[in-house]
Structure formats: structure tokens, C-alpha cells
Amino acid sequence: MNTKYMNKVLGGITACLLFFGACFFASCDDYLDVTPSDKQTAAQVFASKEGFYTAANGIYDALASDELYGKQMTWEAMDLMAPSYVTTYCSQYMKSLSANNYTDAYAAPILSSIWKKAYEVIMNANLLIDQVDQQQGKLTATEANCLKGEMLAVRAFLHLDMLRLFGPVPQLGLDKPAIPYNNSSDVFVHDLVTVAEADSLIIRDLDEAEELLKNDPIIENGPMMSPATGTESVQLRYRQYRMNYYAVIALKARAYNWICDAENAMAQAKRLIDDPKVQQMFPPVDPNKLLANSSNPDRVFSSEVFMGAYDKDRDQVYSLYFASTAPVSQRLQPLSTYVTGNLGLFSHLLLGSETSDYRFQSQWEMASGLGATGYSFIKFKPIDRPDPLDEDSEYYYAKMIPLITMQEMYYIMLESSSSDMDKFSWYNKARVRRGLPDLEAMGMGATFAMYWGYGYGGYFYDQEVRRETWGLGQYFFYAKHNQFYGEYGSYTPMGSGSGNSNPINIQPSLPADEMK
């Protein structure tokens, strides 16, 4: 196989500036009076502080695009590939993704669009990094360091997800060719690097980002998810919608975990779990604000999110894809008994029905429709505004798609632990955060550790991850990293009692049109 791939962008630096145009803050009339965004030079765009932040906003906006975390990399393509839904009446591309027919004429363009958009955003992040390095006093030292640190983290984040999606399974060998790593704003052909080399470059970028973000305002002031006051810069607020200091540490844990470096993965995860200040800043979801709140419940558990995408179109996700009234050709619904049926999502192998789980109570509701009945997924269902008469009034989590969370750190600790008892302990801690009984306090540790040793641990963990990550696209990565080679053996999806027992194809090929 030819090992050279082109990072396709929209044609050089001027096209990269498409993200950065004045249209982000200008009205339609104003926009007609400025140089078109695709004709602006870097000097024009970065002539002021506002230009730098307009560019950054464009990059964050692109993360929430349909090709990335506003759709394909979270609740649609990645969950279809898991597979998670009945696709009998769905569009052909949904059927192809669900059947893991990655190279056919329907699925291949979806995967290619993910790849292309990811490397396009990486290119733009690289351009902004270069401009921060070259800027002449337009940003304060804190602003420059934060902005560069954020962009290095964005670059590492996207490369890691392309590695996890398109790269080979790490357990097959870290020396296998994987993906190109682009740390330049120049357009040229990049050789593929190995899994180990890609992960090393990701960690390198995250180490530098952590150093640059050591004065991130989040460390002293928390996420600051509210409007700026006085002369305060809004660009240093809303830290959960930006690659902040704590998100970088969590990403390092994820990156080490991917290459099965248990020691370093645990070290990074424990930095967050064991820090009382971090636990205070990112506490478990409050059931009183979730289950006892019918008007604007926080179904995405935003208090635990280190970094999320701001999806301005999130209100349409539920109505167009998950509601009973959604068009049949794109409605996403599990098998009728998948959620609460025998061996279903909330029916535990040892403990029976677990419908007291916060995730069941807040993210699923009974629904019916053509071809499938049972439960519909409502994590992204719109919530009421604090002020119904103010269209600009919204809770910040109303538009959030979680990307990196505290709960994942508990899963990394479980995966990295060597003893069955330790694995059970982290499994139990994760479940307690979701309103489930404390099995250790009930004296069930030895029983669960025994079952874990018998090979059931992967089944318990599978169910837990599936509950937590539904709609977030992370289960595919779990299956690729754990289930296929893990303790439980070959993959059998939850809900197999309903006939859904197809294995996941965990190895999509690199997009064919990227080959040179």
C-alpha cells in the first residue's frame, strides 16, 4: 500500500481563511462592505486581537459541524457503526454504516467527509498557531499562551480521534502504519506515521499545551460558563467550550490509554480524580437538577464535562432523528427490547432491572413508530429557556455535545487496573455516580471480583460504557480498544437477546480518495 496521503484542504491558506471571515460577527449588510472571507490575507485577518479570536471561534464552530462532533463523530455515524439502531426503514447510508459496509458508495463518502473535515480543521489550527507565534503585541502573554495551548490541544484531539477511528488496533502492534500527522500550515504530502509515533506526537502537543495553559483562568475560577462582565474578555470565559487546562490532562489520559500505557494513563486520570478542587469544579450531575426538573433538565450531565462542542443546531437533533415524529428514513431507534428487555441496556446480568439509573430516567422515554417500538433517546431533546420571552436566553448546556468527561477518567482507571478487585472497585465508583447502589458498601466486592475473573467483567463494563456514551460516539472506540481483544472475548452487543448479535468491523480503511 502506498503510504503517502494528502491532507486535503480547501486550497491553500486563503481557503483556510474561509473559517475566519468577518461574517462571524458582521450583519449581512456589513458583510457586503468587507473583503470576501476567502480573499482575505492572513495579514488582514490577524491585524487585531479580534481577528485571532474570530479565527479561533471558526475552529471551534467547525468542531460542531455535521462532519465532526455535531453529527457524524457523535450521535450518527459512530453510533450507527457500533451498531445501535434499527435501520430497516432508514436511508441507505445509515444501513451501510450500521452493517459496517464502509467502502460502498453510501458509507464511504461519510467517512471521507469526516477525514477531510478533521484535517481541514487541523490545518486551520496550525495556521492560527503560526500567527500567534508571529503576532506583534496584539495579544497579552496570557491570551497568546492560552490561544496557542488551545489550538495545540485541538490538533492533538483531532489526530487522536483519526488514529482511533482509522488506525489499526493498538494490540496488533504499535509499529503499524496509521495516519499522517500534520503540524504545519503548509500544504504538502505527509507520510503515514505508526501508531506509536502518532501517539507520541499527540502527547508532545498535549505536554506543550499543558505548559502554555498553566495560567488558564479555569484553574482559579472554574469553568466560568456565564457572560463576561465589565471589561473582561469573553474569550477567556466559557472554558468548557474551549480546550482548557483540565481537558488537556484528560486527553493525555485518553492518549496513553489508547496505546495501552496503563501506568501513564492512570497517572493522568488520577490527577483529575484525586484533586478535590477539580472534583468541586466538575461535580457529578445533581439528581435534584436533573430528575426533579421537568423544564430544563441537564441531560448531558454538563457539570462533569471537561470540554464540549457548542452545537447551535442541537435543538433539531431530537426532532429530526430521535422523536416519534421524525422522518422514517432517518429516525434512529433501538430494537424494541434493547433498553429494558432481557439482557437489555438497563437489565444487569447479576442485579436485574436497573431503571433507577439516572441515565435511564433522564435520557430515555417510551415511544412508538413505524417498524420499532420501545424507547426513544432524548438526551438532546430541547429544554425550556430560563426566560421564555427572550430568544437569547438559554442554559449553556442546552447546546452542548460532551466530548471529554470526568466519567471517562473512571473508565480509564478500570481499564488500566491489573487486579479484578481493582477493576470492580472502579466499576462500582462509576456506577455510584449514576445513582446506582454502592456494591462495595453492600459487601458484593468479592462476588463481583470472582465473576470478573470468570470472564464476565467485560460484559459488565460493556454495559456500563454503552449506557454512558450513547449518543456521544465513544462506544465504537471502546469496542475497538477493549471488546474485540478484551476479557469478554468476541463482541456480542448488549440486547443480543433481541437478535442483534452482529460483530463490529472495527477497522475502516483510510479514505480511498486521500491516497496518492
Side-chain angles (χ1 to χ4, degrees):
M1 182 182 73
N2 191 323
T3 60
K4 289 189 175 181
Y5 289 75
M6 173 64 75
N7 294 328
K8 289 194 175 180
V9 295
L10 298 180
I13 290 179
T14 55
C16 287
L17 296 176
L18 184 61
F19 286 147
F20 306 154
C23 56
F24 280 99
F25 296 127
S27 69
C28 291
D29 291 337
D30 291 337
Y31 178 65
L32 297 177
D33 296 329
V34 301
T35 306
S37 59
D38 61 347
K39 300 296 184 182
Q40 292 187 35
T41 67
Q44 288 175 302
V45 173
F46 298 107
S48 66
K49 176 187 298 189
E50 289 71 24
F52 282 89
Y53 285 122
T54 300
N57 290 345
I59 288 169
Y60 284 117
D61 190 56
L63 289 180
S65 64
D66 283 354
E67 296 89 342
L68 294 177
Y69 304 94
K71 187 176 183 181
Q72 303 299 359
M73 285 295 289
T74 49
W75 53 266
E76 192 182 72
M78 296 305 300
D79 271 4
L80 283 166
M81 290 161 63
S84 302
Y85 299 106
V86 178
T87 57
T88 305
Y89 300 98
C90 289
S91 298
Q92 186 57 51
Y93 81 90
M94 291 182 167
K95 293 179 181 179
S96 293
L97 288 168
S98 185
N100 297 158
N101 295 329
Y102 299 143
T103 59
D104 75 9
Y106 302 98
I110 301 296
L111 294 171
S112 181
S113 71
I114 291 171
W115 174 277
K116 179 179 178 180
K117 192 69 172 183
Y119 278 97
E120 185 179 291
V121 178
I122 288 168
M123 176 69 84
N124 280 275
N126 291 340
L127 176 63
L128 185 47
I129 289 168
D130 288 350
Q131 292 297 322
V132 171
D133 286 340
Q134 297 167 22
Q135 63 99 14
Q136 301 294 321
K138 299 179 182 69
L139 303 170
T140 67
T142 297
E143 291 169 336
N145 287 340
C146 277
L147 196 51
K148 183 176 180 180
E150 289 177 27
M151 291 304 105
L152 284 167
V154 166
R155 182 169 84 189
F157 172 73
L158 287 169
H159 277 113
L160 180 55
D161 267 6
M162 293 306 99
L163 175 64
R164 297 198 297 166
L165 176 53
F166 294 105
V169 176
Q171 290 90 332
L172 290 178
L174 300 182
D175 59 345
K176 303 292 185 183
I179 60 169
Y181 202 92
N182 183 12
N183 56 10
S184 171
S185 59
D186 295 327
V187 180
F188 60 92
V189 175
H190 292 269
D191 289 333
L192 295 185
V193 297
T194 66
V195 175
E197 289 168 337
D199 208 73
S200 177
L201 290 167
I202 289 164
I203 295 296
R204 179 206 64 185
D205 280 349
L206 292 173
D207 282 342
E208 184 177 355
E210 181 182 346
E211 177 63 22
L212 288 166
L213 287 164
K214 64 184 179 182
N215 292 317
D216 187 334
I218 197 173
I219 298 171
E220 291 299 320
N221 303 318
M224 299 184 292
M225 299 298 282
S226 60
T229 58
T231 59
E232 187 179 18
S233 172
V234 70
Q235 304 299 340
L236 295 177
R237 298 190 66 83
Y238 293 97
R239 300 306 293 166
Q240 283 176 291
Y241 281 133
R242 297 180 180 276
M243 281 291 183
N244 61 73
Y245 178 81
Y246 296 118
V248 167
I249 296 172
L251 269 179
K252 288 169 72 171
R254 179 186 286 182
Y256 280 122
N257 183 61
W258 186 251
I259 60 168
C260 306
D261 184 342
E263 182 179 357
N264 279 309
M266 292 180 75
Q268 298 299 324
K270 283 179 69 65
R271 290 177 64 188
L272 300 170
I273 292 173
D274 291 348
D275 188 332
K277 188 174 182 179
V278 175
Q279 289 285 0
Q280 182 180 13
M281 288 180 183
F282 300 94
V285 62
D286 183 346
N288 295 316
K289 296 179 181 179
L290 176 68
L291 307 179
N293 180 3
S294 60
S295 60
N296 36 47
D298 182 7
R299 298 190 186 99
V300 298
F301 303 174
S302 66
S303 64
E304 306 177 30
V305 175
F306 290 123
M307 196 274 176
Y310 180 87
D311 183 3
K312 60 182 180 297
D313 298 322
R314 206 195 79 174
D315 281 358
Q316 301 176 31
V317 172
Y318 171 76
S319 61
L320 292 179
Y321 292 91
F322 296 102
S324 299
T325 54
V328 173
S329 64
Q330 59 192 39
R331 185 181 176 197
L332 297 173
Q333 184 172 340
L335 291 161
S336 60
T337 59
Y338 198 101
V339 177
T340 58
N342 181 40
L343 293 180
L345 195 60
F346 291 94
S347 298
H348 196 280
L349 183 64
L350 294 182
L351 304 172
S353 176
E354 293 198 310
T355 53
S356 63
D357 192 312
Y358 296 160
R359 293 163 293 197
F360 174 78
Q361 295 188 67
S362 67
Q363 297 174 359
W364 296 90
E365 69 179 10
M366 287 295 297
S368 62
L370 181 61
T373 59
Y375 285 85
S376 288
F377 185 59
I378 63 170
K379 178 180 281 189
F380 302 129
K381 189 175 184 178
I383 61 177
D384 295 339
R385 294 189 180 94
D387 182 353
L389 301 179
D390 182 0
E391 292 187 357
D392 294 325
S393 170
E394 67 177 20
Y395 285 106
Y396 70 88
Y397 52 76
K399 307 294 186 183
M400 179 180 281
I401 305 287
L403 301 181
I404 311 166
T405 70
M406 177 67 87
Q407 191 78 350
E408 182 183 352
M409 299 301 102
Y410 288 80
Y411 298 155
I412 288 174
M413 293 301 298
L414 184 159
E415 291 182 23
S416 301
S417 295
S418 57
S419 74
D420 292 336
M421 183 61 80
D422 285 345
K423 287 179 181 293
F424 160 71
S425 181
W426 286 108
Y427 167 74
N428 182 60
K429 288 181 173 68
R431 285 167 45 85
V432 168
R433 290 165 58 86
R434 297 296 172 251
L436 292 166
D438 187 334
L439 300 175
E440 285 186 296
M442 295 169 62
M444 299 185 68
T447 299
F448 264 85
M450 177 184 67
Y451 271 91
W452 217 289
Y454 288 161
Y456 290 99
Y459 188 91
F460 300 146
Y461 183 36
D462 174 287
Q463 186 181 45
E464 168 60 25
V465 174
R466 187 71 126 169
R467 292 182 186 184
E468 181 70 21
T469 63
W470 201 290
L472 303 181
Q474 295 296 311
Y475 186 80
F476 178 89
F477 299 131
Y478 156 79
K480 184 168 186 171
H481 191 248
N482 295 284
Q483 197 67 16
F484 192 75
Y485 291 92
E487 300 163 88
Y488 187 54
S490 60
Y491 172 71
T492 303
M494 295 300 304
S496 59
S498 301
N500 184 22
S501 58
N502 295 325
I504 294 177
N505 176 355
I506 56 177
Q507 187 63 60
S509 300
L510 293 178
D513 63 355
E514 300 300 327
M515 294 182 64
K516 282 296 192 183

